[in-house]
C-alpha cells in the first residue's frame, strides 16, 4: 500500500506542477521542449520526489541532503537529473544517481550507483592541512609540486566498512618527463592511506601531419595570435619547460606571427594542436550539439590577447624540460602535448590525439569516470573512440584503415604502418580483445606501477566493442559476429551513454547497460541498432547476446595452443628463437626480439619493463605429466637505472595460472634490487612446479614498473621438465 500511495503522490506532484507551469500534457504538449529553467526545475522536483519514494524502500539515506549536480534536457525532449549522494553535507565517493524522465514528465528509469546503509562518523580527527602533509610524505616520485594541493572530505565505501576520508590531490606537473597528479584517500580518523589513483588523464598516441591547413587566428595591430575567438580556443608554447604555476618550470608564451603564415619549426606543432582542437570542437558541436568541452563554450583558462573578456580553451605544446616528453594529457582544464623523443613518438599533436585529450575533458564534465580499474579503462576508451571519430570527421566522414589506429602518425615515426593501439584488432598491440583476457581480473590495488589496474590496456575491450558495432566483424575469441550499424549510429549511442547514463563508478557491465539505454532512446528497443549494441558487447565477453545463451567460438577463433612435449622437455621454443610462438604476449610492458643485442643464447629473448609505467605478461600453456620432475629453469638478466638498495620499485613475477588466467601460485619475484652490471650478465634460476604435476596450466612472466628510472628484465632459455 505504501508503494502504491507513493506513486499516486508522485503522479499528483507531476500533474500539479504541470498545471502551475501551464504545461498541458493531456493535450499532447511535452513537458521538456525548450530546455528552460522552469523545465529544469520541474525535472529536479520530480526526480527528487522519485528518489524520496525509493528511500522509503531501501536505505539510501536522506534525499534532502543529496545534491543535484546537473539537469540536462536532450534533443529527444527527455530530462536527466544527476544527483550526488551525501550524508550530513559530506558527499559519498561515487554515490550517484541519474533520474531519467520521458518527454511527458514521467519517470523512464534511473541509473543507480547509490550506496545502501552508510554508517560512519562524520567528524575528522585531523585537519585538511595535516591530511595534505600526510599525502606529501607518501609520494615516492621525483616530480615537484606544481599547483596548490587540495583536499576534500568524502565518505568512502571500503571493502569491509565505510570510511570518512580526506581525498588529497597533489599535482606534480613541473616539466619532469613523468608528470603525475596523485590522489590519495586518507582515512580521516586513523590516517591510513586506503586507496589512490593518478588523476592525470594521459593520452598516448603532429602542420606536421595534416599538410597545409587553414586555422583561425586573431590580431592586435600587426601582430597575429594563435587564438580562435569564435570557438574560444587558443594554443600556447611551453618552450620546453614545465608548468608556469611553479615559478621554477618556466612560463607559457603566446604564439605570435607577423604575416599570419605559421610555418616556422617551433610553430608547426602548435598549428597541429590548434587545428586538432578546432576539428574536435566542430565535431562535438555539429555531431552531438555540444558547445565546447564543458557544453557551455568552455572551460577557459588564459585570456585572449585580442579580447581579455574571452577566456580560451587552451592547448599547450612543447611541454617538458627535456624536450622529449613522450605523452600528452588533460589536466586543469587544459590539453598539454609533449614533443616525443623522436623514436617512440614525434610531437603528440595528431588530430586523433587532440580528440582523445579533449574527450577526457568531456568525460570529466559528464560521467567523470574514476581513473582506475574498469571505470578508468572506460575513461580511456571514450577518448580513443571519440578521438577516432574526430579523425573520421576531419576526413569528411569517411572511414579508412587508419581510423581504427590510435596515434599512428606520431607513434614510432621511423616505423610505418604501426600504431599505439588498434581498435579493430587490439591483439596487434598485445591488448585484450575479450573481457576474459583483461589485466587484473581479480583484486587489484590501483597504483602507478600497474597503470591503475590497466586503464590503458583494458580500454581495448570497449574499443573493440565500438569497432564491431560501427564496422561489423567477428571477435577472435568468442567467435561472435556483429553486424555493422555504421559509425554514425554507433557514435551517437556511445556519446549519449557517456553523457546521460554513465556515472563515476560505471564498469564494463554498466557501460553495456548505458549504451543499450541510449540505443533504446534513439532507435527503439526492437531496433537493429539496439540488437547490434547488445551483440557487440556479447562478442567481447560482456553480457549475453540477443536471445540469450553463451557464445560458442567459431572455427575462426584461435585457441591458445597446448605445446606437445618433446622428449622430457615440456616447453616449446623456450629459447625464443625466430618467433615468439607459442608464447602469448599482452600489455606494453612485455616485448620480444628475434635478433636482440643481449641474448643468453641464440639471438631471441623476451624482455619486460624497458620503460616507465609499464605492465605486461608473457605466458605459455603447458600440460605437466604426473611423471615430470616439475622443475622450471630460465636465465635472467636485470638492468636498472634505480639506485636504491632497499626498495623494490620495478618487479617481475614468475607465476602459475589456470588456463583461464586465474593466479594459482607465485614462484618467484625479481626486482630492480637484482640488477647486474651489464645487459649480458645472466644468472640461471630454478623453480619448483611439482605441485601442478598432472595439470594443464600457464607458465607466466609478468612485470610492473613505476613512474621513474627504467628497469629491464630479460628472460632466455627457459625449460620445464
Amino acid at each position: 500500500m505504501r508503494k502504491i500511495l507513493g506513486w499516486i503522490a508522485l503522479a499528483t506532484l507531476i500533474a500539479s506542477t504541470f498545471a502551475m507551469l501551464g504545461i498541458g500534457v493531456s493535450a499532447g504538449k511535452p513537458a521538456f521542449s525548450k530546455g528552460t529553467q522552469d523545465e529544469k526545475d520541474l525535472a529536479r522536483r520530480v526526480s527528487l520526489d522519485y528518489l524520496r519514494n525509493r528511500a522509503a524502500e531501501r536505505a539510501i539515506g536522506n534525499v534532502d541532503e543529496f545534491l543535484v549536480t546537473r539537469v540536462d534536457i536532450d534533443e529527444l525532449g527527455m530530462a536527466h537529473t544527476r544527483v550526488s549522494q551525501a550524508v550530513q553535507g559530506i558527499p559519498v565517493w561515487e554515490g550517484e544517481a541519474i533520474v531519467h524522465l520521458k518527454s511527458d514528465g514521467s519517470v523512464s528509469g534511473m541509473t543507480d550507483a547509490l550506496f545502501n546503509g552508510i554508517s560512519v562518523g562524520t567528524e575528522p580527527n585531523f585537519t585538511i592541512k595535516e591530511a595534505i602533509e600526510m599525502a606529501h610524505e607518501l609520494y615516492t616520485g621525483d616530480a615537484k609540486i606544481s599547483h596548490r594541493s587540495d583536499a576534500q572530505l568524502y565518505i568512502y565505501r571500503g571493502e569491509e566498512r565505510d570510511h570518512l576520508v580526506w581525498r588529497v590531490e597533489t599535482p606534480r606537473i613541473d616539466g619532469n618527463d613523468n608528470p603525475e597528479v596523485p590522489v590519495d584517500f586518507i582515512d580521516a580518523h586513523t590516517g591510513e592511506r586506503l586507496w589512490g589513483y593518478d588523476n592525470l588523464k594521459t593520452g598516448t598516441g603532429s602542420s606536421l601531419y595534416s599538410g597545409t591547413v587553414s586555422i583561425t587566428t586573431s590580431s592586435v595591430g600587426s601582430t597575429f595570435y594563435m587564438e580562435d575567438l569564435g570557438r574560444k580556443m587558443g594554443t600556447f608554447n611551453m618552450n620546453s619547460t614545465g608548468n608556469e604555476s611553479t615559478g621554477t618550470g618556466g612560463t607559457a608564451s603566446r604564439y605570435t606571427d607577423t604575416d599570419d603564415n605559421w610555418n616556422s619549426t617551433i610553430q608547426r606543432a602548435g598549428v597541429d594542436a590548434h587545428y586538432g582542437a578546432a576539428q574536435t570542437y566542430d565535431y562535438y558541436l555539429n555531431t552531438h550539439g555540444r558547445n565546447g568541452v564543458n557544453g557551455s563554450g568552455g572551460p577557459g583558462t588564459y585570456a585572449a590577447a585580442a579580447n581579455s573578456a574571452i577566456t580560451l580553451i587552451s592547448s599547450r605544446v612543447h611541454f617538458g624540460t627535456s624536450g622529449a616528453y613522450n605523452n600528452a594529457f588533460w589536466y586543469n582544464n587544459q590539453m598539454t602535448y609533449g614533443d616525443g623523443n623522436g623514436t617512440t613518438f614525434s610531437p603528440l599533436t595528431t588530430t586523433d590525439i587532440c580528440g582523445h585529450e579533449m574527450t577526457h575533458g568531456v568525460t570529466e564534465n559528464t560521467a567523470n569516470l574514476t581513473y582506475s580499474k574498469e571505470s578508468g579503462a572506460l575513461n580511456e576508451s571514450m577518448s580513443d573512440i571519440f578521438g577516432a571519430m574526430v579523425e573520421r570527421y576531419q576526413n569528411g566522414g569517411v572511414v579508412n584503415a587508419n581510423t581504427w589506429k590510435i596515434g599512428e602518425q606520431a607513434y614510432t615515426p621511423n616505423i610505418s604502418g604501426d600504431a599505439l593501439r588498434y581498435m579493430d584488432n587490439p591483439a596487434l598491440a598485445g591488448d585484450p580483445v575479450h573481457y576474459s583476457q583483461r589485466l587484473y581480473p581479480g583484486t587489484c590495488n590501483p597504483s602507478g606501477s600497474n597503470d591503475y589496474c590497466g586503464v590503458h590496456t583494458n580500454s581495448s575491450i570497449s574499443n573493440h566493442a565500438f569497432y564491431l558495432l560501427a564496422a561489423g566483424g567477428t571477435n577472435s575469441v568468442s567467435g561472435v559476429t556483429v553486424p555493422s550499424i555504421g559509425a554514425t549510429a554507433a557514435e551517437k549511442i556511445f556519446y549519449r551513454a557517456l553523457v546521460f547514463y554513465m556515472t563515476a563508478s560505471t564498469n564494463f557491465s554498466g557501460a553495456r547497460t548505458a549504451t543499450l539505454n541510449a540505443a533504446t532512446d534513439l532507435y527503439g528497443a526492437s531496433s537493429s541498432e539496439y540488437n547490434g549494441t547488445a551483440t557487440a558487447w556479447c562478442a567481447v565477453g560482456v553480457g549475453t547476446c540477443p536471445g540469450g545463451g553463451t557464445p560458442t567460438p567459431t572455427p575462426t577463433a584461435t585457441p591458445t595452443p597446448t605445446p606437445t612435449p618433446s622428449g622430457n622437455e615440456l616447453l616449446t621454443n623456450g629459447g625464443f628463437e625466430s618467433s615468439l610462438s607459442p608464447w602469448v604476449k599482452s600489455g606494453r610492458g612485455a616485448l620480444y626480439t628475434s635478433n636482440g643485442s643481449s641474448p643468453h643464447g641464440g639471438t631471441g629473448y623476451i624482455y619486460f619493463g624497458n620503460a616507465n609505467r609499464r605492465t605486461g605478461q608473457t605466458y605459455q600453456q603447458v600440460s605437466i605429466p604426473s611423471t615430470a620432475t616439475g622443475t622450471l629453469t630460465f636465465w635472467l638478466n636485470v638492468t636498472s637505472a634505480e639506485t636504491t638498495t632497499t626498495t623494490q620499485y620495478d618487479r617481475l613475477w614468475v607465476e602459475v595460472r589456470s588456463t583461464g588466467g586465474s593466479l594459482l601460485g607465485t614462484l618467484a619475484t625479481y626486482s630492480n634490487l637484482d640488477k647486474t652490471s651489464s645487459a649480458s650478465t645472466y644468472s640461471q634460476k630454478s623453480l619448483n612446479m611439482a605441485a601442478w604435476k598432472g595439470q594443464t596450466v600457464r607458465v607466466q612472466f609478468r612485470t610492473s614498473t613505476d613512474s621513474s628510472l627504467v628497469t629491464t628484465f630479460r628472460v632466455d632459455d627457459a625449460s620445464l621438465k
Side-chain angles (χ1 to χ4, degrees):
M1 180 64 71
R2 181 180 64 182
K3 182 181 291 187
I4 294 173
L5 291 175
W7 284 111
I8 292 173
L10 179 58
T12 301
L13 170 71
I14 295 173
S16 62
T17 308
F18 284 176
M20 178 183 70
L21 296 175
I23 298 174
V25 177
S26 60
K29 186 176 181 180
F32 312 114
S33 59
K34 300 178 181 179
T36 64
Q37 188 59 50
D38 282 345
E39 291 177 352
K40 291 182 178 181
D41 289 343
L42 168 64
R44 179 182 183 276
R45 289 194 292 271
V46 172
S47 299
L48 289 176
D49 206 65
Y50 173 78
L51 284 168
R52 292 186 186 99
N53 278 278
R54 295 297 292 266
E57 301 167 7
R58 47 178 287 215
I60 59 174
N62 183 359
V63 173
D64 292 330
E65 294 182 344
F66 289 12
L67 176 66
V68 176
T69 57
R70 193 169 70 249
V71 178
D72 295 304
I73 296 176
D74 64 33
E75 72 279 5
L76 302 181
M78 293 181 65
H80 309 268
T81 306
R82 191 177 289 264
V83 178
S84 175
Q85 193 174 15
V87 176
Q88 295 182 24
I90 300 174
V92 179
W93 180 254
E94 294 184 341
E96 296 176 85
I98 310 172
V99 181
H100 310 285
L101 305 180
K102 298 178 183 178
S103 60
D104 64 1
S106 62
V107 177
S108 171
M110 182 172 76
T111 301
D112 189 348
L114 300 171
F115 292 101
N116 289 338
I118 293 172
S119 179
V120 65
T122 56
E123 288 295 326
N125 287 343
F126 47 88
T127 66
I128 183 173
K129 181 178 179 180
E130 290 170 327
I132 291 173
E133 290 174 352
M134 291 178 183
H136 291 176
E137 292 174 358
L138 288 168
Y139 184 71
T140 58
D142 54 1
K144 298 177 181 178
I145 294 175
S146 59
H147 299 63
R148 182 178 63 85
S149 297
D150 188 34
Q152 182 179 352
L153 276 175
Y154 279 93
I155 294 170
Y156 170 75
R157 174 147 289 182
E159 294 182 5
E160 298 179 353
R161 64 181 179 87
D162 295 324
H163 302 262
L164 181 70
V165 299
W166 287 106
R167 178 193 179 274
V168 187
E169 184 169 293
T170 54
R172 297 173 179 272
I173 312 173
D174 65 346
N176 183 286
D177 283 350
N178 296 294
E180 298 177 273
V181 183
V183 174
D184 297 294
F185 286 68
I186 298 173
D187 191 301
H189 294 142
T190 67
E192 174 189 6
R193 182 187 185 275
L194 299 173
W195 187 61
Y197 62 97
D198 188 351
N199 204 29
L200 190 68
K201 283 85 173 180
T202 58
T204 42
S206 231
S207 143
L208 292 172
Y209 303 112
S210 300
T212 300
V213 296
S214 296
I215 61 174
T216 302
T217 60
S218 66
S219 63
V220 177
S222 59
T223 301
F224 292 90
Y225 296 91
M226 204 177 286
E227 299 176 1
D228 182 338
L229 302 187
R231 297 182 178 93
K232 297 182 180 179
M233 311 183 90
T235 302
F236 300 86
N237 183 7
M238 289 301 294
N239 303 290
S240 295
T241 65
N243 189 286
E244 70 278 7
S245 65
T246 63
T248 59
T251 58
S253 62
R254 298 183 191 273
Y255 268 114
T256 62
D257 199 76
T258 57
D259 61 0
D260 211 15
N261 182 15
W262 306 82
N263 54 10
S264 70
T265 300
I266 199 69
Q267 292 173 344
R268 295 186 70 197
V271 169
D272 278 288
H274 201 62
Y275 175 72
Q279 291 294 309
T280 305
Y281 177 92
D282 289 353
Y283 165 77
Y284 275 108
L285 182 64
N286 296 329
T287 305
H288 304 295
R290 186 177 190 84
N291 179 16
V293 171
N294 64 5
S296 57
T301 52
Y302 300 106
N307 186 343
S308 60
I310 297 177
T311 55
L312 304 171
I313 302 172
S314 302
S315 302
R316 308 187 310 170
V317 301
H318 303 306
F319 172 85
T321 53
S322 69
Y325 176 56
N326 276 320
N327 219 327
F329 59 84
W330 165 269
Y331 181 69
N332 208 26
N333 295 327
Q334 296 170 328
M335 293 79 69
T336 302
Y337 304 96
D339 285 331
N341 61 8
T343 301
T344 307
F345 285 101
S346 54
L348 288 95
T349 51
T350 63
T351 299
D352 61 343
I353 295 178
C354 293
H356 178 112
E357 297 312 327
M358 290 181 71
T359 299
H360 277 308
V362 173
T363 297
E364 183 177 289
N365 283 276
T366 54
N368 197 25
L369 291 157
T370 301
Y371 203 65
S372 73
K373 300 185 179 180
E374 290 190 13
S375 59
L378 286 168
N379 193 317
E380 275 299 315
S381 178
M382 293 301 111
S383 283
D384 278 354
I385 287 168
F386 291 109
M389 292 299 95
V390 169
E391 184 176 300
R392 170 177 170 264
Y393 178 86
Q394 175 195 4
N395 293 328
V398 176
V399 172
N400 58 39
N402 285 334
T403 303
W404 309 115
K405 295 179 180 179
I406 305 301
E408 71 280 357
Q409 292 172 291
Y411 183 63
T412 56
N414 300 320
I415 303 174
S416 63
D418 67 342
L420 182 64
R421 289 186 289 275
Y422 304 81
M423 297 177 68
D424 55 343
N425 185 6
L428 292 174
D431 295 330
V433 300
H434 192 269
Y435 190 68
S436 65
Q437 298 175 326
R438 68 195 185 281
L439 289 183
Y440 312 107
T443 301
C444 174
N445 183 25
S447 68
S449 62
N450 62 27
D451 191 28
Y452 297 90
C453 299
V455 299
H456 288 92
T457 300
N458 290 336
S459 62
S460 65
I461 297 168
S462 44
N463 281 0
H464 194 51
F466 180 87
Y467 163 79
L468 292 171
L469 180 63
T474 301
N475 182 271
S476 61
V477 174
S478 69
V480 172
T481 298
V482 184
S484 166
I485 69 168
T488 298
E491 68 186 349
K492 289 184 179 298
I493 289 171
F494 270 66
Y495 175 79
R496 186 174 181 83
L498 172 67
V499 172
F500 298 126
Y501 286 102
M502 292 187 189
T503 66
S505 61
T506 297
N507 57 15
F508 285 119
S509 177
R512 176 184 182 274
T513 301
T515 52
L516 289 176
N517 285 336
T520 299
D521 294 345
L522 292 167
Y523 305 106
S526 300
S527 63
S528 59
E529 290 84 358
Y530 179 97
N531 289 328
T533 302
T535 305
W537 283 111
C538 169
V540 298
V542 181
T544 58
C545 287
T550 302
T552 301
T554 67
T556 58
T558 305
T560 302
T562 301
T564 301
S566 176
N568 62 351
E569 176 58 61
L570 303 177
L571 292 179
T572 298
N573 191 23
F576 309 102
E577 300 304 322
S578 301
S579 72
L580 183 61
S581 179
W583 296 87
V584 178
K585 175 176 70 68
S586 63
R588 292 186 293 163
L591 304 103
Y592 166 72
T593 179
S594 61
N595 189 24
S597 58
S598 303
H600 174 260
T603 60
Y605 55 88
I606 54 174
Y607 61 112
F608 301 87
N610 198 48
N612 298 321
R613 296 176 183 264
R614 290 292 186 264
T615 60
Q617 48 275 316
T618 300
Y619 72 84
Q620 182 174 141
Q621 189 162 294
V622 58
S623 296
I624 308 176
S626 58
T627 56
T629 61
T631 301
L632 172 69
T633 61
F634 59 92
W635 290 81
L636 175 67
N637 165 265
V638 183
T639 57
S640 180
E642 299 281 5
T643 58
T644 179
T645 59
T646 58
T647 305
Q648 296 182 350
Y649 290 120
D650 310 310
R651 296 176 177 87
L652 177 74
W653 292 271
V654 186
E655 301 172 332
V656 181
R657 291 184 175 260
S658 71
T659 56
S662 298
L663 180 64
L664 302 177
T666 300
L667 302 176
T669 303
Y670 305 99
S671 74
N672 49 280
L673 300 182
D674 299 297
K675 71 177 183 178
T676 59
S677 58
S678 71
S680 59
T681 303
Y682 282 79
S683 60
Q684 189 176 36
K685 310 298 180 183
S686 180
L687 305 174
N688 186 0
M689 291 186 60
W692 293 278
K693 290 195 294 184
Q695 300 181 40
T696 299
V697 297
R698 294 179 182 179
V699 177
Q700 176 167 284
F701 299 90
R702 179 173 64 88
T703 193
S704 177
T705 62
D706 75 347
S707 60
S708 64
L709 301 176
V710 173
T711 298
T712 301
F713 303 91
R714 295 174 179 83
V715 175
D716 201 0
D717 294 330
S719 172
L720 176 59
K721 297 182 178 179

